[in-house]
Amino acid sequence: MPSMNNIDRLKLSSAILSKARELGADAAGIADFNEVKECPSLSADFKIPQIEAGRREGSFETEEKLLPEDGKSVIVIAISHPEDKPELDWRYENYATQGNQRLIEINKNLIKWLKSNYKQIKTYHIPYFIEKGGIYLKDTAVMAGLGTIGRNNLLITPEYGPRVRLRAVVVNVELVSTGPLAFDPCAGCEGYCLRECPQGAFDEIIYSQAVMGQEFLPGRTGTYSRLKCNDQMERDKQAGKQKDERVLHKPTDEMVCLFKHCRNCEFSCPVGL
Ligand code: B12
Ligand code: SF4
Ligand code: SF4
């Protein structure tokens, strides 16, 4: 990719963000791919399985990443998942949620637009799962200025609170980063999200800065328990299977189980309501 001057870079960055919104994103931002590759979630992800190994064997193994080598910037998009549209978040057994399908569609159209208008730009549509070459989307969104990490361990956006879902495209061109944002709604909050977890996933400090060797911890102070939360996700799945009512997954015409995962730590947060 030939180098661009700052004005061209700014124009391209803002054209991309406008296009993402025009295509249906509720928020969009840009982060430096090198920073994203070094993000706090990545370093924590390597340590947490070891820390939690004493609690349960064989849980959560981190696999090697398959990230684009010539990536320079990440375009991260968000769509709002409000409480009154719960279906956006329902998982049709092994298929993507409606919300994720919508995000995929927006990114595909953005890539198509980039390819037809800027022939030299290479694009990589980043998968959801880390083990399939995904990136840590909350950290990316924080770096792109979409919001901040709250005490519920989720990205909190000023407009929609934590009720958003994310997806990203990496490009081989240096765009202008749009973050971070000076925004901390948790500082003056009573911590409603911490009380509403059915598993008590925020009840105790389980990760310290000293043991983790890093400043930024899950749930900010090291409280968020991935194991407890994951137990809830498993329960939600079992509940979906036991209901014995299958629904039609329209894109494939298959009858599948419907999983409605817990979202208490999102719905209890007043930001963006
Ligand atoms: C694996 C996964 C899970 C696992 C493990 C979760 C975990 N956090 O470990 C399980 C199944 C338990 C899970 C649960 C949920 N998940 Co989930 N999950 C993911 C996935 C695929 C990877 C996340 C991961 O492995 N993180 C690694 C761990 C080690 O980091 P972490 O605990 O998240 O904490 C880090 C941050 O808080 C960060 N941090 C803290 N302070 C700061 C400060 C700065 C400046 C920065 C940059 C970072 C930072 O550093 C921490 C590490 O110390 C992402 C998608 C993706 N590709 O990113 C979705 C994702 C994080 N999940 C999401 C959601 C919504 C949920 C659930 C609500 C379930 C649901 N209904 O969908 C719960 C909420 C749990 C919670 N309160 O955090 C959304 C979050 C949206 C948002 N607003 O933030 C994501 C982004 C997916 C999406 N569709 O957009 N999830
Ligand atoms: S409920 Fe309060 S403490 Fe929890 S994430 Fe929202 S603003 Fe932060
Ligand atoms: S998703 Fe549910 S189980 Fe997981 S941390 Fe949030 S409230 Fe707790």
Side-chain angles (χ1 to χ4, degrees):
M1 181 75 201
S3 62
M4 283 188 296
N5 65 37
N6 284 344
I7 302 283
D8 287 344
R9 198 173 293 142
L10 259 173
K11 278 188 187 160
L12 176 59
S13 305
S14 91
I16 289 173
L17 296 179
S18 304
K19 193 69 196 177
R21 283 177 174 278
E22 190 191 310
L23 291 169
D26 291 314
I30 294 166
D32 180 324
F33 189 49
N34 281 325
E35 273 182 43
V36 166
K37 284 195 286 187
E38 307 282 314
C39 71
S41 283
L42 173 80
S43 44
D45 213 354
F46 282 105
K47 290 164 210 153
I48 284 176
Q50 283 126 47
I51 295 171
E52 289 186 343
R55 294 171 174 241
R56 180 171 313 165
E57 271 179 49
S59 56
F60 302 103
E61 280 168 20
T62 308
E63 293 179 27
E64 209 179 303
K65 310 283 173 300
L66 309 151
L67 301 176
E69 277 177 16
D70 57 349
K72 295 270 192 322
S73 299
V74 192
I75 304 155
V76 57
I77 62 166
I79 59 164
S80 130
H81 273 213
E83 193 168 1
D84 62 1
K85 286 193 188 145
E87 64 281 2
L88 283 175
D89 216 61
W90 293 344
R91 187 168 292 279
Y92 294 75
E93 226 163 310
N94 296 324
Y95 296 107
T97 63
Q98 270 183 38
N100 203 19
Q101 279 171 28
R102 197 178 282 183
L103 284 162
I104 291 170
E105 207 53 40
I106 296 169
N107 274 351
K108 277 188 181 164
N109 287 331
L110 187 64
I111 287 171
K112 210 191 273 177
W113 173 82
L114 275 167
K115 279 188 177 155
S116 57
N117 288 282
Y118 308 93
K119 301 229 173 335
Q120 287 153 313
I121 297 182
K122 262 168 90 183
T123 55
Y124 301 91
H125 193 170
I126 299 297
Y128 178 88
F129 290 106
I130 305 300
E131 59 274 22
K132 291 192 176 157
I135 57 173
Y136 297 92
L137 291 166
K138 290 185 298 176
D139 300 46
T140 308
V142 170
M143 291 170 179
L146 263 53
T148 195
I149 300 291
R151 283 156 75 195
N152 60 3
N153 198 39
L154 294 171
L155 172 81
I156 314 290
T157 63
E159 304 89 346
Y160 310 104
R163 297 164 298 280
V164 292
R165 296 294 179 269
L166 307 162
R167 203 158 173 111
V169 171
V170 167
V171 289
N172 69 335
V173 55
E174 258 176 57
L175 300 172
V176 179
S177 296
T178 48
L181 187 70
F183 170 65
D184 187 6
C186 301
C189 176
E190 287 180 28
Y192 307 101
C193 58
L194 309 175
R195 301 180 209 142
E196 296 298 325
C197 175
Q199 298 293 327
F202 304 98
D203 286 358
E204 49 175 334
I205 292 185
I206 46 177
Y207 311 110
S208 69
Q209 287 187 347
V211 173
M212 296 280 282
Q214 65 182 67
E215 182 186 358
F216 297 120
L217 303 174
R220 293 183 29 164
T221 50
T223 53
Y224 168 72
S225 165
R226 182 194 267 200
L227 282 183
K228 286 185 182 171
C229 180
N230 197 58
D231 278 347
Q232 183 63 39
M233 301 295 131
E234 290 303 322
R235 277 170 194 241
D236 298 338
K237 258 189 211 159
Q238 288 314 319
K241 283 182 185 163
Q242 274 161 17
K243 266 199 180 142
D244 208 28
E245 53 185 50
R246 302 206 156 220
V247 293
L248 182 69
H249 177 247
K250 275 196 193 140
T252 58
D253 255 358
E254 232 181 280
M255 295 301 284
V256 294
C257 294
L258 194 60
F259 305 143
K260 299 176 183 176
H261 286 300
C262 175
R263 299 182 64 192
N264 287 14
C265 51
E266 293 181 77
F267 295 154
S268 54
C269 176
V271 180
L273 290 177

